Amino acid sequence: RMIHVIVVIRPVKFEDRPDETWYRVAVVSKNETPLFAPLFENVTLFKKGNAFRELLLQKLLNAERACYAAPIL
């Protein structure tokens, strides 16, 4: 299979909150790849924690499933 989805996760630190870690997430997929949940409308900044971990794992698993449904180019 070809690469249909790319997920980029970058850590973000804020000067006024040095003890907290946030992550910026970007997801890019080919046009032929079906949409997959959870959708990140305009929210792409997430605070480190179990909630983010669960959301990210769900996104990655659904991305894999969407890739299997995409046509082979």
Side-chain angles (χ1 to χ4, degrees):
R1 297 234 173 219
M2 304 298 282
I3 296 175
H4 292 278
V5 176
I6 296 176
V7 179
V8 178
I9 305 162
R10 296 183 302 148
V12 177
K13 289 280 194 173
F14 295 103
E15 291 180 11
D16 59 336
R17 293 180 263 172
D19 297 337
E20 294 180 2
T21 300
W22 293 71
Y23 294 98
R24 186 167 307 279
V25 179
V27 179
V28 179
S29 63
K30 290 185 179 180
N31 291 337
E32 297 82 11
T33 306
L35 288 177
F36 48 94
L39 299 178
F40 293 158
E41 299 292 326
N42 293 327
V43 179
T44 60
L45 191 63
F46 302 94
K47 187 175 180 180
K48 180 180 181 178
N50 286 334
F52 171 64
R53 181 181 180 277
E54 292 298 317
L55 180 84
L56 183 61
L57 288 174
Q58 182 181 14
K59 185 70 171 176
L60 293 173
L61 288 172
N62 289 339
E64 182 179 14
R65 289 183 185 130
C67 289
Y68 286 124
I72 298 175
L73 302 175

